């Protein structure tokens, strides 16, 4: 009997800080350094936006990704686990606009970019500090930034490589437009929200006499009305087919067209078709060959075509149109309704649908190929593949890739001033056509030497969608690329399936004719205790730091791993994190007790020892399988169950006396169980397991492999578990009933206990007899 090898009597979250210091002195632990013949595992870590901090849900999501990385290392793979910060885009621009009260388009471009750069640097490394503190084992020494010259040049080079393939085109066409960001949007940038609106019923006079009632939520678009539709089977309007109606206030005549798109149940059943009210309008304009009218401009104001509404913003124009209709006695009624309104996902205002000049990337023609790739990738959970498939099916336009913003990657193109030819430079360099001299001698078409640079930038997803190519060094290091592509794993949230996952799939298809990833892991979302997503506006955002200080990172990680099945959302409760902390404490106490016994090289096993070793074999097998399958829920819960409900209360209690007497079989088995349990739990609770391992067995646990099941242990020994547990419970109950103090642990009421019930277990282990 020796002293316990763990000096601290109890586990404290502050011990994690010491472990961190130790890890900082071993910076090569997580370096990507494949040995000859060693399988490689590459993770395309989501590069977060470097806001000052993460909320606790994000901390938990990244912790789950880290558990996968750690498990893969312990399964024997060389893991490339990069970390990047996504600093391009409207987020930082809006911060600067708000802080200075000056919108981007009123700035000198150079000065605005400098201000964004300053602002993003000042955000500092809070997020990196947090990522490290919760135990992320990413390659922080090589953190990449999407706004670096290197990354932007890379993004441009992929565009320029694809340029000769004719995948990009420029066109003036109706597109989703944000009047606040003053930029075209892709379908992926749009969110729909139920908003209160008014359903306005107007009277259109018929040229043949009489009138027809038409309901709309957009009376300000009357100037752009070019047709009225009614359903062909709607008997109320059968006589009006082919007749003409006069548009209120503007007095131009439009045809009344029977069309199946009309909804007899909506409003009066007749609808006006305006350029460009929505997608339906757009399709009908094309089909009916109507001449569009631009009623709203790029800043969200009414154009001269809107007559007396000219210059007004949309909301104000709507009010004025209603007043004018009322004054002209052409207003039938106004009713409040809830209306699904398309909103800009960045600035959260209603978007418009206007005609503008933009660059597009072809995507619709690849739908079948992309669907096939979606089926070639393994999804965890499997059901989330459908999110990607549904999104692919819902797309109706090609991808508008140009934005009228500044702090983004520039579109690397120039135009000939004389003949208008578009010129693309060779890939490789970082190009800023709005300020750099044109890298051409003369126009290949007309011979002119005067050029003007494209002043627009890429949608940020153009950058993000090459992350897998960037980290596998496509186009730079062929051997490295061959060994690492397709990437083993893309872990990410559900909310960016339609953007990050979709666009990466599209890019990998057009660049490599290949799936981008072998596997996609979609984690759940961290919700508040009432099941709501965390939003600053709801005031329910939980700061992770107080939780880390109070309970430790291991507790937070153990909580999230064990709380839900892979892919399910999880409710974050402090009480449950506290329960997970008690589990870490339990692990510590058991380890401390065992560490007071020397570990013999071998020992004579009793049936009791074989019983727990058979249970341990089961645990090892199921946990290894689960880790291979990216399932963290199972090893977290089975490991906890093993420790809390079998090993500590039954086996340890039963062999204590033997261990004190120096029985080598008991001592050997205690250590075998501890060694294996620590390694099985190391990906989930990396701090406590490493600390224990170093103190008891020496060396870092994260360089170890996951254990393998032991040969020679009859699996049938595990058949005794139920009887043994019942028997012990019975004995202890009798002893308690007879008032015997040293009566063993109270059994938990049910075997499958929740984390927060961890407190119920009575602490009976002592390090001294
Ligand atoms: Zn916007
Ligand atoms: Zn030319």
């Amino acid at each position: 009997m020796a002293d316990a090898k763990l000096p601290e009597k109890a586990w404290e979250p502050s011990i994690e800080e010491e472990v961190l210091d130790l890890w900082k002195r071993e910076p090569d632990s997580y370096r990507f350094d494949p040995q000859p013949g060693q399988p490689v595992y590459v993770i395309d870590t989501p590069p977060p936006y470097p806001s000052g901090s993460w909320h606790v849900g994000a901390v938990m999501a990244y912790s789950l990704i880290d558990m996968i990385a750690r498990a893969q290392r312990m399964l024997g793979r060389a893991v490339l686990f990069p970390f990047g910060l996504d600093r391009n885009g409207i987020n930082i621009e809006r911060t600067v606009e708000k802080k200075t009260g000056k919108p981007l388009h009123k700035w000198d471009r150079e000065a605005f970019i400098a201000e964004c750069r300053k602002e993003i640097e000042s955000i500092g490394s809070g997020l990196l500090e947090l990522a490290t503190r919760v135990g992320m084992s990413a390659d922080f020494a090589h953190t990449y930034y999407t706004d670096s010259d290197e990354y932007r040049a890379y993004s441009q080079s992929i565009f320029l490589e694809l340029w000769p393939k004719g995948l990009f085109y420029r066109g003036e066409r109706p597109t989703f437009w944000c009047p606040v960001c003053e930029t075209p949007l892709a379908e992926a940038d749009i969110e729909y929200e139920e908003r209160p609106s008014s359903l306005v019923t107007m009277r259109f006079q018929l040229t043949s006499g009489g009138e027809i009632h038409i309901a709309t939520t957009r009376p300000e678009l009357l100037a752009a009305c070019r047709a009225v539709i009614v359903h062909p089977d709607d008997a109320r309007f059968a006589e009006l087919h082919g007749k003409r109606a006069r548009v209120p206030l503007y007095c131009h005549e439009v045809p009344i067209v029977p069309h199946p798109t009309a909804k007899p149940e909506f409003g009066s059943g007749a609808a006006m078709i305006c350029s460009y009210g929505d997608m339906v309008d757009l399709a009908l304009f094309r089909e009916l060959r109507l001449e569009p009218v631009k009623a709203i401009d790029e800043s969200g104001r009414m154009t001269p075509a809107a007559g007396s509404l000219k210059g007004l913003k949309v909301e104000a124009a709507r009010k004025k149109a209603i007043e004018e209709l009322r004054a002209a006695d052409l207003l039938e009624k106004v009713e409040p309704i809830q209306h699904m309104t398309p909103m800009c996902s960045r600035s959260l205002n209603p978007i418009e649908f206007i005609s503008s000049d933009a660059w597009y990337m072809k995507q619709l023609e690849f739908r079948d190929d992309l669907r096939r790739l979606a089926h070639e990738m393994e999804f965890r959970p499997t059901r989330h593949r459908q999110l990607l498939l549904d999104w692919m099916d819902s797309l109706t336009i090609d991808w508008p890739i140009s934005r009228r913003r500044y702090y983004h990657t520039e579109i690397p193109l120039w135009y000939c001033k004389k003949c208008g030819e578009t010129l693309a430079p060779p890939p490789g360099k970082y190009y800023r056509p709005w300020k750099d001299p044109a890298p051409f001698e003369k126009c290949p078409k007309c011979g002119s030497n005067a050029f003007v640079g494209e002043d627009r930038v890429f949608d940020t997803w153009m950058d993000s969608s090459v992350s897998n190519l960037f980290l596998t060094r496509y186009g730079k290091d062929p051997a490295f690329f061959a060994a690492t592509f397709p990437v083993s794993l893309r872990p990410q949230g559900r909310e960016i399936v339609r953007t990050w996952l979709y666009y990466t799939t599209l890019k990998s298809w057009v660049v490599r004719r290949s799936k981008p990833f072998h596997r996609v892991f979609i984690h759940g979302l961290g919700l508040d205790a009432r099941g709501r997503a965390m939003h600053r506006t709801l005031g329910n955002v939980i700061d992770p730091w107080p939780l880390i200080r109070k309970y430790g990172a291991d507790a937070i990680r153990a909580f999230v791993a064990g709380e839900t099945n892979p892919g399910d959302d999880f409710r974050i409760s402090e009480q449950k994190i506290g329960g997970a902390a008690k589990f870490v404490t339990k692990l510590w106490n058991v380890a401390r007790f065992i560490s007071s016994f020397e570990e013999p090289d071998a020992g004579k096993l009793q049936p009791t020892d074989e019983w727990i070793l058979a249970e341990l074999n089961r645990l090892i097998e199921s946990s290894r399988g689960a880790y291979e399958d990216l399932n963290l829920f199972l090893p977290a819960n089975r490991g906890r169950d093993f420790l809390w409900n079998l090993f500590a209360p039954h086996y340890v209690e039963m062999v204590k006396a033997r261990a004190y007497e120096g029985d080598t079989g008991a001592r050997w088995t205690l250590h075998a169980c501890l060694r294996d349990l620590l390694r099985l739990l190391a990906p989930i609770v990396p701090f406590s397991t490493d600390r224990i391992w170093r103190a008891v067995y020496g060396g870092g646990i994260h360089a170890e492999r996951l254990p393998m099941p032991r040969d020679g242990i009859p699996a049938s020994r595990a058949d005794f578990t139920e009887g043994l547990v019942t028997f012990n419970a019975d004995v202890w109950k009798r002893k308690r009933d007879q008032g015997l103090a040293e009566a063993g642990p109270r059994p938990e009421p049910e075997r499958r206990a929740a984390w927060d019930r961890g407190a119920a277990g009575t602490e009976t282990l002592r390090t001294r007899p």
Side-chain angles (χ1 to χ4, degrees), residues 90 94 178-183 185 344-349:
I90 288 178
R94 290 197 66 76
C178 175
V180 171
C181 303
E182 293 204 31
T183 190
L185 301 174
C344 170
S345 64
R346 309 266 176 183
S347 52
L348 302 176
N349 50 272

PDB file of all heavy atoms in Angstrom, residues 90 94 178-183 185 344-349, ligand 1:
ATOM      1  N   ILE A  90     -19.565  40.846 -44.782  1.00  0.00           N
ATOM      2  CA  ILE A  90     -20.466  41.909 -44.357  1.00  0.00           C
ATOM      3  C   ILE A  90     -20.468  42.108 -42.841  1.00  0.00           C
ATOM      4  O   ILE A  90     -20.673  43.207 -42.357  1.00  0.00           O
ATOM      5  CB  ILE A  90     -21.884  41.621 -44.921  1.00  0.00           C
ATOM      6  CG1 ILE A  90     -21.861  41.878 -46.439  1.00  0.00           C
ATOM      7  CG2 ILE A  90     -22.936  42.491 -44.267  1.00  0.00           C
ATOM      8  CD1 ILE A  90     -23.152  41.602 -47.159  1.00  0.00           C
ATOM      9  N   ARG A  94     -20.347  45.780 -41.499  1.00  0.00           N
ATOM     10  CA  ARG A  94     -21.474  46.386 -40.786  1.00  0.00           C
ATOM     11  C   ARG A  94     -21.039  46.934 -39.432  1.00  0.00           C
ATOM     12  O   ARG A  94     -21.543  47.946 -38.965  1.00  0.00           O
ATOM     13  CB  ARG A  94     -22.621  45.390 -40.644  1.00  0.00           C
ATOM     14  CG  ARG A  94     -23.291  45.111 -41.972  1.00  0.00           C
ATOM     15  CD  ARG A  94     -24.650  44.462 -41.792  1.00  0.00           C
ATOM     16  NE  ARG A  94     -25.619  45.339 -41.151  1.00  0.00           N
ATOM     17  CZ  ARG A  94     -26.238  46.343 -41.775  1.00  0.00           C
ATOM     18  NH1 ARG A  94     -25.986  46.592 -43.029  1.00  0.00           N
ATOM     19  NH2 ARG A  94     -27.094  47.094 -41.126  1.00  0.00           N
ATOM     20  N   CYS A 178     -30.631  43.173 -51.695  1.00  0.00           N
ATOM     21  CA  CYS A 178     -30.819  43.779 -50.387  1.00  0.00           C
ATOM     22  C   CYS A 178     -30.601  45.276 -50.508  1.00  0.00           C
ATOM     23  O   CYS A 178     -29.491  45.721 -50.811  1.00  0.00           O
ATOM     24  CB  CYS A 178     -29.853  43.204 -49.362  1.00  0.00           C
ATOM     25  SG  CYS A 178     -30.016  44.066 -47.777  1.00  0.00           S
ATOM     26  N   PRO A 179     -31.652  46.085 -50.277  1.00  0.00           N
ATOM     27  CA  PRO A 179     -31.503  47.533 -50.407  1.00  0.00           C
ATOM     28  C   PRO A 179     -30.661  48.145 -49.277  1.00  0.00           C
ATOM     29  O   PRO A 179     -30.183  49.255 -49.408  1.00  0.00           O
ATOM     30  CB  PRO A 179     -32.942  48.058 -50.348  1.00  0.00           C
ATOM     31  CG  PRO A 179     -33.762  46.967 -49.783  1.00  0.00           C
ATOM     32  CD  PRO A 179     -33.029  45.679 -50.002  1.00  0.00           C
ATOM     33  N   VAL A 180     -30.470  47.423 -48.180  1.00  0.00           N
ATOM     34  CA  VAL A 180     -29.623  47.935 -47.096  1.00  0.00           C
ATOM     35  C   VAL A 180     -28.156  47.642 -47.399  1.00  0.00           C
ATOM     36  O   VAL A 180     -27.296  48.516 -47.352  1.00  0.00           O
ATOM     37  CB  VAL A 180     -30.050  47.351 -45.731  1.00  0.00           C
ATOM     38  CG1 VAL A 180     -29.046  47.704 -44.653  1.00  0.00           C
ATOM     39  CG2 VAL A 180     -31.439  47.869 -45.362  1.00  0.00           C
ATOM     40  N   CYS A 181     -27.857  46.381 -47.734  1.00  0.00           N
ATOM     41  CA  CYS A 181     -26.476  46.032 -48.084  1.00  0.00           C
ATOM     42  C   CYS A 181     -26.141  46.500 -49.499  1.00  0.00           C
ATOM     43  O   CYS A 181     -24.976  46.489 -49.895  1.00  0.00           O
ATOM     44  CB  CYS A 181     -26.261  44.526 -47.975  1.00  0.00           C
ATOM     45  SG  CYS A 181     -26.628  43.833 -46.355  1.00  0.00           S
ATOM     46  N   GLU A 182     -27.155  46.905 -50.266  1.00  0.00           N
ATOM     47  CA  GLU A 182     -26.981  47.346 -51.651  1.00  0.00           C
ATOM     48  C   GLU A 182     -26.164  46.356 -52.459  1.00  0.00           C
ATOM     49  O   GLU A 182     -25.161  46.688 -53.087  1.00  0.00           O
ATOM     50  CB  GLU A 182     -26.333  48.748 -51.707  1.00  0.00           C
ATOM     51  CG  GLU A 182     -27.258  49.813 -51.155  1.00  0.00           C
ATOM     52  CD  GLU A 182     -26.949  51.205 -51.691  1.00  0.00           C
ATOM     53  OE1 GLU A 182     -26.493  51.315 -52.833  1.00  0.00           O
ATOM     54  OE2 GLU A 182     -27.175  52.173 -50.950  1.00  0.00           O
ATOM     55  N   THR A 183     -26.612  45.117 -52.431  1.00  0.00           N
ATOM     56  CA  THR A 183     -25.886  44.094 -53.152  1.00  0.00           C
ATOM     57  C   THR A 183     -26.851  42.984 -53.539  1.00  0.00           C
ATOM     58  O   THR A 183     -27.850  42.777 -52.858  1.00  0.00           O
ATOM     59  CB  THR A 183     -24.725  43.546 -52.274  1.00  0.00           C
ATOM     60  OG1 THR A 183     -23.901  42.713 -53.072  1.00  0.00           O
ATOM     61  CG2 THR A 183     -25.226  42.777 -51.076  1.00  0.00           C
ATOM     62  N   LEU A 185     -28.148  39.162 -53.814  1.00  0.00           N
ATOM     63  CA  LEU A 185     -28.028  38.065 -52.866  1.00  0.00           C
ATOM     64  C   LEU A 185     -28.287  36.746 -53.581  1.00  0.00           C
ATOM     65  O   LEU A 185     -28.983  36.701 -54.584  1.00  0.00           O
ATOM     66  CB  LEU A 185     -29.059  38.214 -51.743  1.00  0.00           C
ATOM     67  CG  LEU A 185     -28.998  39.480 -50.903  1.00  0.00           C
ATOM     68  CD1 LEU A 185     -30.183  39.517 -49.939  1.00  0.00           C
ATOM     69  CD2 LEU A 185     -27.690  39.549 -50.120  1.00  0.00           C
ATOM     70  N   CYS A 344     -33.170  39.619 -45.823  1.00  0.00           N
ATOM     71  CA  CYS A 344     -31.718  39.471 -45.944  1.00  0.00           C
ATOM     72  C   CYS A 344     -31.205  38.853 -44.643  1.00  0.00           C
ATOM     73  O   CYS A 344     -31.475  39.371 -43.566  1.00  0.00           O
ATOM     74  CB  CYS A 344     -31.053  40.827 -46.179  1.00  0.00           C
ATOM     75  SG  CYS A 344     -29.251  40.779 -46.068  1.00  0.00           S
ATOM     76  N   SER A 345     -30.474  37.740 -44.745  1.00  0.00           N
ATOM     77  CA  SER A 345     -30.048  37.061 -43.524  1.00  0.00           C
ATOM     78  C   SER A 345     -28.972  37.839 -42.770  1.00  0.00           C
ATOM     79  O   SER A 345     -28.685  37.559 -41.631  1.00  0.00           O
ATOM     80  CB  SER A 345     -29.560  35.646 -43.844  1.00  0.00           C
ATOM     81  OG  SER A 345     -28.420  35.714 -44.668  1.00  0.00           O
ATOM     82  N   ARG A 346     -28.359  38.827 -43.419  1.00  0.00           N
ATOM     83  CA  ARG A 346     -27.318  39.621 -42.742  1.00  0.00           C
ATOM     84  C   ARG A 346     -27.895  40.856 -42.072  1.00  0.00           C
ATOM     85  O   ARG A 346     -27.648  41.134 -40.923  1.00  0.00           O
ATOM     86  CB  ARG A 346     -26.255  40.086 -43.741  1.00  0.00           C
ATOM     87  CG  ARG A 346     -25.713  39.004 -44.585  1.00  0.00           C
ATOM     88  CD  ARG A 346     -24.462  38.434 -43.985  1.00  0.00           C
ATOM     89  NE  ARG A 346     -24.003  37.309 -44.789  1.00  0.00           N
ATOM     90  CZ  ARG A 346     -22.961  36.575 -44.491  1.00  0.00           C
ATOM     91  NH1 ARG A 346     -22.267  36.831 -43.413  1.00  0.00           N
ATOM     92  NH2 ARG A 346     -22.604  35.580 -45.240  1.00  0.00           N
ATOM     93  N   SER A 347     -28.669  41.638 -42.851  1.00  0.00           N
ATOM     94  CA  SER A 347     -29.148  42.907 -42.299  1.00  0.00           C
ATOM     95  C   SER A 347     -30.581  42.805 -41.789  1.00  0.00           C
ATOM     96  O   SER A 347     -31.085  43.746 -41.199  1.00  0.00           O
ATOM     97  CB  SER A 347     -29.034  44.010 -43.357  1.00  0.00           C
ATOM     98  OG  SER A 347     -29.652  43.599 -44.565  1.00  0.00           O
ATOM     99  N   LEU A 348     -31.227  41.648 -41.989  1.00  0.00           N
ATOM    100  CA  LEU A 348     -32.542  41.366 -41.418  1.00  0.00           C
ATOM    101  C   LEU A 348     -33.628  42.364 -41.822  1.00  0.00           C
ATOM    102  O   LEU A 348     -34.434  42.771 -40.992  1.00  0.00           O
ATOM    103  CB  LEU A 348     -32.443  41.260 -39.884  1.00  0.00           C
ATOM    104  CG  LEU A 348     -31.471  40.200 -39.378  1.00  0.00           C
ATOM    105  CD1 LEU A 348     -31.361  40.234 -37.862  1.00  0.00           C
ATOM    106  CD2 LEU A 348     -31.866  38.793 -39.837  1.00  0.00           C
ATOM    107  N   ASN A 349     -33.624  42.776 -43.083  1.00  0.00           N
ATOM    108  CA  ASN A 349     -34.705  43.623 -43.595  1.00  0.00           C
ATOM    109  C   ASN A 349     -35.294  42.916 -44.813  1.00  0.00           C
ATOM    110  O   ASN A 349     -34.637  42.058 -45.403  1.00  0.00           O
ATOM    111  CB  ASN A 349     -34.146  44.993 -44.004  1.00  0.00           C
ATOM    112  CG  ASN A 349     -32.946  44.842 -44.894  1.00  0.00           C
ATOM    113  OD1 ASN A 349     -31.826  44.739 -44.406  1.00  0.00           O
ATOM    114  ND2 ASN A 349     -33.168  44.771 -46.197  1.00  0.00           N
TER     115      ASN A 349
HETATM  116 ZN1  LIG B   1     -28.766  43.035 -46.313  1.00  0.00          ZN
END
